[in-house]
């Protein structure tokens, strides 16, 4: 096992490189964690002994969100966008192994992987709106491309997580693992390679957006349906506008809109 940073290690387990985040209590996305994940991806890509990569977390949860101790301070490199780009652009499949909760930046990190597996007790969500924020690392652009705009609106504008079973039903995770999660994720990674599955870059996927394109009233209908619940709050409308950007704009421009809001 190789230490990438104080919080992230790398180990080749047969033909699968395993990146493990270990930053108690909730594996928050501190600079050391971000740098470790990016460095782990670079190490795995350069490791000729492996042909797939698993991103896992030690302790009681997957990455549970941003490191709030960094709020209000000058940004430290690498940013989360850079980390996600490293995973998404990997020439080897990257699989997120989710347990506990993958929330906020944690889910955005998982959405940057090519595939996601979870244990049955896991929950995933983008709860930023509950803090008067919205997802800022592509969550408003990637999530609709996986689950469709209607469900993405519900998840982002209300901020409520969903369980592993529901996440599997809507395609947010690709498999629910029984037994040891890391072992299951490694087995899934080997299956991806054996079957020659593609490197799925969510940012390139547009099929799930077709429903909204055929029925653009989805967004105004959602506003009207929930007007009373959202009264007095600004951020739900910003969330709606950001998801609307995923439907109406190219991915790169949608990211700009997300950042603006």
């Amino acid at each position: 096992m190789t230490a990438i940073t104080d919080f992230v290690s790398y180990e080749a387990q047969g033909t699968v490189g395993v990146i493990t985040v270990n930053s108690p209590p909730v594996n928050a996305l501190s600079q050391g964690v971000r740098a470790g994940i990016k460095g782990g991806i670079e190490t795995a890509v350069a490791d000729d002994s492996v042909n797939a990569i698993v991103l896992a977390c030690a302790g009681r949860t997957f990455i549970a969100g941003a490191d709030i101790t960094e709020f209000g301070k000058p940004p430290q490199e690498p940013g989360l966008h850079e980390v996600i780009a490293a995973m998404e652009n990997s020439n080897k499949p990257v699989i997120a192994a989710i347990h506990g909760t993958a929330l906020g930046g944690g889910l955005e990190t998982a959405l940057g992987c090519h595939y996601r597996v979870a244990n049955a007790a896991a929950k995933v969500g983008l709860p930023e709106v509950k803090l008067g924020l919205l997802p800022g690392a592509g969550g408003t652009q990637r999530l609709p491309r996986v689950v469709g705009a209607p469900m993405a609106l519900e998840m982002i504008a209300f901020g409520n997580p969903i369980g592993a079973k529901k996440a599997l039903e809507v395609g947010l995770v690709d498999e629910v693992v029984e037994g040891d999660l890391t072992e299951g994720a490694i087995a899934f990674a080997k299956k991806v390679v054996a079957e020659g599955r593609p490197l799925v870059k969510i940012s390139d996927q547009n099929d799930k957006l077709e429903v909204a394109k055929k029925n653009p009233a989805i967004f105004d209908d959602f506003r009207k349906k929930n007007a009373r619940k959202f009264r007095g709050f600004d951020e739900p409308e910003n969330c709606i506008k950001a998801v609307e950007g995923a439907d109406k704009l190219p991915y790169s421009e949608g990211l700009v809109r997300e950042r603006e809001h």
Side-chain angles (χ1 to χ4, degrees):
M1 183 178 293
T2 301
I4 305 298
T5 67
D6 290 342
F7 307 108
V8 181
S9 61
Y10 171 79
E11 181 180 17
Q13 296 193 26
T15 58
V16 179
V18 180
I19 300 167
T20 303
V21 177
N22 187 6
S23 181
V26 294
N27 294 316
L29 282 163
S30 64
Q31 189 277 335
V33 169
R34 298 192 305 273
I37 295 173
K38 182 173 182 288
I41 293 294
E42 292 166 350
T43 300
V45 167
D47 188 344
D48 292 335
S49 73
V50 307
N51 52 26
I53 305 164
V54 166
L55 173 63
C57 289
R60 58 188 175 90
T61 185
F62 190 73
I63 299 164
D67 182 358
I68 60 173
T69 66
E70 294 185 0
F71 285 12
K73 297 179 180 178
Q76 301 180 66
E77 297 297 330
L80 186 52
H81 280 286
E82 187 178 346
V83 175
I84 292 172
M87 296 188 299
E88 199 171 50
N89 294 324
S90 165
N91 62 1
K92 300 174 182 180
V94 182
I95 294 89
I98 301 170
H99 74 293
T101 55
L103 301 177
L107 179 55
E108 289 179 301
T109 301
L111 288 170
C113 298
H114 302 115
Y115 296 94
R116 287 152 296 285
V117 301
N119 66 12
K123 293 185 177 182
V124 298
L126 296 172
E128 285 89 344
V129 71
K130 294 179 182 291
L131 299 176
L133 306 169
L134 58 73
T140 67
Q141 304 304 298
R142 286 187 177 89
L143 187 63
R145 286 174 161 82
V146 178
V147 303
M151 185 163 188
L153 285 169
E154 292 282 345
M155 290 182 67
I156 296 173
F158 287 106
N160 297 322
I162 61 174
K165 181 179 179 181
K166 181 66 175 180
L168 180 65
E169 289 175 3
V170 299
L172 188 46
V173 302
D174 300 283
E175 186 174 289
V176 174
V177 173
E178 301 291 339
D180 185 87
L181 177 61
T182 301
E183 289 180 5
I186 290 172
F188 181 87
K190 290 179 178 178
K191 183 166 61 176
V192 166
V193 173
E195 295 176 357
R197 296 191 193 182
L199 301 178
V200 181
K201 292 177 66 173
I202 291 175
S203 57
D204 289 340
Q205 308 300 306
N206 295 305
D207 291 351
K208 290 290 183 73
L209 299 177
E210 290 304 313
V211 172
K213 289 185 184 301
K214 293 175 182 176
N215 181 17
I218 283 174
F219 301 99
D220 283 339
D221 289 346
F222 184 78
R223 288 181 174 98
K224 293 173 184 176
K225 176 184 174 183
N226 297 290
R228 182 173 296 179
K229 296 175 184 176
F230 294 155
R231 186 174 298 144
F233 298 97
D234 294 330
E235 209 55 35
E237 174 58 22
N238 288 331
C239 290
I240 295 168
K241 288 178 179 177
V243 175
E244 207 168 7
D247 175 59
K248 296 182 177 179
L249 300 170
Y251 176 76
S252 59
E253 294 179 26
L255 280 182
V256 173
R257 176 174 287 191
E258 176 184 271
R259 178 57 58 188
E260 288 173 350
H261 290 302

